[in-house]
Structures are given as structure tokens and as C-alpha cells.
Amino acid sequence: MKKVWKWLTRILVVGVLLVVGVVLVAGWMARRYLTPEAVVEAVEGELNLRMDLAGLDWKMAGMPANLVLHGVQLGERDQWAGTPLEGRPEMADPAIEANEVRVAVGLSGLLRKRVEVKEFVLVEPSVRMVMETEEHALGSELVASEKLSGKS
């Protein structure tokens, strides 16, 4: 009976070490591949807008893991979209601002270099609303022109 308990204890210890290892590897990959520049580049590549980001943090302790974006600003696309964050001037009139954006992500996706969003929370958002005429289709200006035409 002692041998059975010894083996069960060993299996449990190995299982716990594997789980801790997976969390550590996912955290390392997330910090390495998801930088503020990478997040801004991905958003600006998918949407027809300019994004500014003050910084980001990872909170890997809970399940799911949380990506916290600080100082998020979204506004009309201008000549600074697509340029490095360091050289950009401050956005003149952002349409959306948030002190923080918390994104809960799945660890399994991070191991495949993908962000699988489980939850999306805006903290202290500020949204500027503009009334459009009927000639403009709602949201058509937000999607990048390549996405509208079917090219990707």
C-alpha cells in the first residue's frame, strides 16, 4: 500500500509541475510576442483607425490570464497610423479613450501565438459620439478597406 501512495504522490507532483510549467511558458510567450507595438500594429491592420497605447501588463495568476492595456486611445486614421509608437505625437481628438482595457485570454491560445478573447472590459471609458448622415453606412469606415473588398 505504501508503494501505491508513493506513486500517486509522484504523479501528483509531476502533474502540478507540468501545470506550473505551462503557465510559465505561456506567460513568457505572451510577454515576448505581445508588446504594445504588436498590439497597436494588429489593431491598426484590422481596423481603419489610429490607436495609441501607453503600455500593457500581463496578469497570469488567474484563469483566464488577463492582458491589461493602459492609456488606450482610438481615433480617426491619420498619417501617424502604422508608425512606431515612440515617434508619434499625441492624438488630437480621440473618439474613444479608456484608462484601462482588461482582456481575459485563454492560455491554450497563447501557446499557439494567438489571443483568444474570453472577456473584454473597458475601465473609465470616454466615447465621443458623432451623428452621421444616412449616406454613410454604419461602421463601414471603421473596417480597413482591404477587409471590405474581401482582400486579406
Side-chain angles (χ1 to χ4, degrees), residues 2-49:
K2 266 187 168 180
K3 283 188 175 189
V4 171
W5 283 111
K6 233 181 199 182
W7 278 104
L8 286 176
T9 304
R10 287 178 183 167
I11 291 171
L12 181 65
V13 167
V14 168
V16 168
L17 289 175
L18 280 174
V19 169
V20 168
V22 166
V23 169
L24 290 175
V25 167
W28 174 78
M29 288 180 74
R31 284 180 178 85
R32 182 169 179 196
Y33 295 109
L34 283 173
T35 62
E37 290 79 15
V39 170
V40 169
E41 181 181 328
V43 170
E44 288 180 348
E46 289 293 320
L47 301 174
N48 187 28
L49 53 75

Side-chain angles (χ1 to χ4, degrees), residues 64-65 103-108 116-120:
V103 183
V105 297
L107 286 178
S108 62
E116 296 173 355
V117 176
K118 306 287 185 187
E119 184 179 22
F120 188 86

Side-chain angles (χ1 to χ4, degrees), residues 51-96:
M51 177 182 188
D52 281 344
L53 181 62
L56 65 83
D57 291 323
W58 279 99
K59 303 204 186 308
M60 301 299 286
M63 290 291 180
N66 284 298
L67 169 64
V68 181
L69 306 175
H70 300 283
V72 177
Q73 293 183 329
L74 302 174
E76 191 174 323
R77 191 172 191 91
D78 58 15
Q79 74 271 17
W80 299 104
T83 61
L85 285 175
E86 290 179 9
R88 293 184 182 192
E90 192 170 316
M91 199 177 302
D93 195 18
I96 300 173

